[in-house]
Amino acid sequence: MDGFKKRLNESVQLKLSFSLSLSILVIAVVAGIFSFVSAFEEAHELQDDMLRQIAALFDRQHLPLAHLGKGVLGKDSDEESRVIVQNLADSSKAAGKGDSGVLLPLPMTQPDGLHTIEVNGEPFRVFVKTTSSGERIAVAQETGVRDELARDSALRTLMPFLILVPILLLIVADLVRKMFRPIASLSAEIDQRAEQELHPVQESHLPAEVRPFVVAINRLLARVDQSMETQRRFVADAAHELRSPLTALSLQAERLDQADMSDLARERLMTLRRGIERGRNLLDQLLTLAKAQAALDRPKSSVSVQQIYRRVLEDLMPLAEDKHIDIGVEGEQDAQLWVNELDVIAVVKNLVDNAIRYTPDGGRVDLSVTTEEGRAILKIQDSGAGIQVTERERVFDPFYRTLGSDQVGSGLGLSIVKAITDRIGAEIQLGFTDEVRQSGLCVRVYFPLTKPL
């Protein structure tokens, strides 16, 4: 009960449905009671009119007094449902219903009109009339039968309420649900958006009461988009500004390498040059990350996965050869992706670069592509140590590097891949190359094959 009250206080839809349903039920109950009472009284009036008409018929036609109503309610109810017409003067001779149950002991002094009289413990409705010939007649019927007939007639008037009220409650619940459907659709549309999808929410199809809320959301999205754009621009500008001095330092280090110096000085110079090179690689990845987070134009043509693989292998083959790594593409199957070519190159290049760096000397890196259920699956797997399940969420964070790794890097490779796949609607999954030994990293990237609208 407490849970229902809490939901009722928190849900406008539930509160509206409950209020409308309760109002309909209260009105239906009041209207049903009024209808039942009115129909019950009207049935009694019709029965009283019937007694008057029977008396008038006997008066006009001078009919002999007899029992009426035979067979009105069936064989078992004939005696109870009959209408008795008798001369009021004969009532003094009746000690009861008698053997035949004809005469009723009615008082002779009963005035003309309708009366409810108790005869031998049973109530009767009696109409007394003085005929044109001066005789006084009584038309009587048991009150219990009259009440039963009136009650049946009144209950029949309630049947439309009993049928229509549940239907009306269902219609109200359905209408309330449909009225709140745009809000539910709005919630689902916003919830399904990626991090970079900050375009305004369409408000033309929404109710007027919800539009101020949507306008506020759009303003918030605009502020968030402006803030993220400022951050990306700052990263890109900082990387550009730092690239020039690092390039100058690299040139000075190359010139210094040509000068005569001791072995100790040359060793320290090599350490300096490696540091400068790592700084340049970090700046390049920061620029790539800034571009990956920025929205690019939609592709105008498809790109070949096999062609992307060849371009990436041409760039990274020297790095693989230095470590004697067997790297290549498995199979000849190809797929055409409706994705920006630079995005696919960045994804594949960062994944292959990571695979080469974290695969020990003499290891193996394989690239392949397959298609299933309208998606292209790009798979890059290596024979390295792999990534444990507990770390697979963290490795996509910027500057995060796997624990215990002795490889030199910036920790931005997988962050760039994640940013690109989220923006273009692709999906990335990490697994083991050898599931039994739980070794090696197998990365699957799922790209949609359909052309974006």
Side-chain angles (χ1 to χ4, degrees):
M1 189 66 180
D2 294 338
F4 176 76
K5 290 182 179 179
K6 183 178 180 181
R7 288 183 56 198
L8 187 62
N9 293 328
E10 294 178 351
S11 173
V12 176
Q13 180 177 349
L14 183 60
K15 186 182 297 183
L16 181 59
S17 299
F18 180 78
S19 302
L20 290 176
S21 300
L22 184 61
S23 302
I24 291 173
L25 286 176
V26 171
I27 294 174
V29 170
V30 173
I33 294 175
F34 178 78
S35 176
F36 180 85
V37 173
S38 300
F40 190 79
E41 293 178 352
E42 185 176 354
H44 275 168
E45 292 177 1
L46 291 175
Q47 291 169 340
D48 290 342
D49 289 339
M50 181 188 69
L51 298 180
R52 295 189 185 97
Q53 292 172 6
I54 292 174
L57 178 64
F58 271 81
D59 185 17
R60 289 194 302 268
Q61 301 295 332
H62 304 287
L63 298 174
L65 301 182
H67 304 286
L68 299 179
K70 213 166 190 183
V72 172
L73 295 178
K75 296 180 179 179
D76 296 336
S77 303
D78 288 348
E79 292 297 325
E80 297 178 355
S81 63
R82 65 185 177 179
V83 175
I84 301 174
V85 182
Q86 68 181 46
N87 193 321
L88 198 59
D90 296 335
S91 299
S92 60
K93 303 176 183 179
K97 287 188 176 182
D99 296 337
S100 59
V102 174
L103 298 178
L104 297 176
L106 302 175
M108 295 180 59
T109 59
Q110 194 75 29
D112 289 359
L114 287 165
H115 310 279
T116 301
I117 302 174
E118 187 171 329
V119 179
N120 296 330
E122 295 184 9
F124 279 80
R125 186 69 168 171
V126 181
F127 178 71
V128 180
K129 178 178 176 62
T130 302
T131 63
S132 57
S133 61
E135 293 183 342
R136 301 187 72 216
I137 62 173
V139 183
Q141 188 180 25
E142 289 189 21
T143 304
V145 175
R146 289 163 51 89
D147 291 343
E148 183 178 355
L149 293 174
R151 187 163 47 251
D152 291 342
S153 177
L155 287 175
R156 282 193 291 270
T157 64
L158 292 181
M159 290 304 297
F161 288 96
L162 298 178
I163 296 174
L164 294 178
V165 169
I167 296 177
L168 183 59
L169 292 176
L170 292 176
I171 292 175
V172 168
D174 184 65
L175 288 176
V176 171
R177 183 175 58 83
K178 288 182 178 178
M179 286 189 294
F180 280 85
R181 185 177 297 170
I183 301 178
S185 301
L186 173 64
S187 174
E189 190 269 334
I190 296 177
D191 186 59
Q192 292 174 358
R193 286 190 177 190
E195 296 178 358
Q196 307 298 326
E197 296 180 356
L198 299 176
H199 55 274
V201 178
Q202 294 295 328
E203 57 183 83
S204 58
H205 64 287
L206 296 174
E209 293 78 7
V210 184
R211 290 179 185 174
F213 178 68
V214 176
V215 170
I217 291 178
N218 287 336
R219 291 174 180 172
L220 176 62
L221 290 176
R223 293 194 295 270
V224 173
D225 185 42
Q226 182 178 5
S227 175
M228 293 182 65
E229 180 61 30
T230 301
Q231 180 182 0
R232 288 192 295 265
R233 188 164 53 248
F234 172 78
V235 172
D237 292 343
H240 277 293
E241 290 298 324
L242 291 174
R243 177 179 285 183
S244 297
L246 281 178
T247 302
L249 287 175
S250 179
L251 292 175
Q252 293 296 333
E254 290 180 2
R255 292 178 181 177
L256 185 60
D257 186 46
Q258 298 175 359
D260 295 334
M261 61 184 67
S262 64
D263 294 339
L264 179 61
R266 189 169 299 278
E267 181 180 352
R268 292 180 178 178
L269 177 61
M270 291 300 299
T271 303
L272 175 63
R273 293 186 63 179
R274 285 195 296 268
I276 294 174
E277 187 62 27
R278 285 197 300 272
R280 292 182 62 181
N281 291 334
L282 174 60
L283 291 178
D284 289 339
Q285 287 198 310
L286 285 173
L287 286 173
T288 304
L289 180 61
K291 293 177 181 178
Q293 294 175 342
L296 298 178
D297 296 334
R298 293 182 177 180
K300 298 180 180 179
S301 60
S302 61
V303 295
S304 167
V305 176
Q306 290 287 352
Q307 183 178 356
I308 297 296
Y309 281 170
R310 286 194 293 270
R311 291 183 56 178
V312 170
L313 290 179
E314 289 176 359
D315 294 338
L316 299 179
M317 187 61 72
L319 182 61
E321 291 177 348
D322 288 344
K323 300 182 67 174
H324 306 286
I325 292 176
D326 180 11
I327 185 171
V329 180
E330 291 183 333
E332 298 181 356
Q333 184 175 356
D334 196 8
Q336 298 292 324
L337 306 179
W338 286 93
V339 185
N340 190 287
E341 185 177 13
L342 295 178
D343 287 339
V344 185
I345 291 176
V347 169
V348 176
K349 188 172 184 178
N350 278 280
L351 291 177
V352 175
D353 182 75
N354 273 2
I356 295 174
R357 290 181 182 276
Y358 290 93
T359 299
D361 292 354
R364 181 184 180 91
V365 176
D366 295 318
L367 290 70
S368 63
V369 57
T370 56
T371 58
E372 64 176 29
E373 299 179 355
R375 296 189 301 178
I377 306 176
L378 280 64
K379 184 166 68 173
I380 295 93
Q381 55 185 0
D382 59 57
S383 58
I387 299 177
Q388 299 302 314
V389 177
T390 55
E391 290 190 276
R392 288 180 184 175
E393 292 294 331
R394 293 290 312 279
V395 294
F396 293 109
D397 296 339
F399 304 107
Y400 179 83
R401 301 179 65 242
T402 305
L403 297 177
S405 173
D406 57 353
Q407 294 295 321
V408 177
S410 61
L412 290 175
L414 290 179
S415 300
I416 295 172
V417 173
K418 182 64 174 177
I420 295 175
T421 53
D422 287 346
R423 177 167 52 81
I424 64 179
E427 180 185 353
I428 182 171
Q429 291 182 357
L430 303 181
F432 291 112
T433 302
D434 189 341
E435 292 290 346
V436 177
R437 299 180 180 179
Q438 293 190 345
S439 64
L441 178 62
C442 179
V443 183
R444 292 180 176 86
V445 186
Y446 297 83
F447 286 90
L449 289 174
T450 56
K451 183 178 180 180
L453 300 177

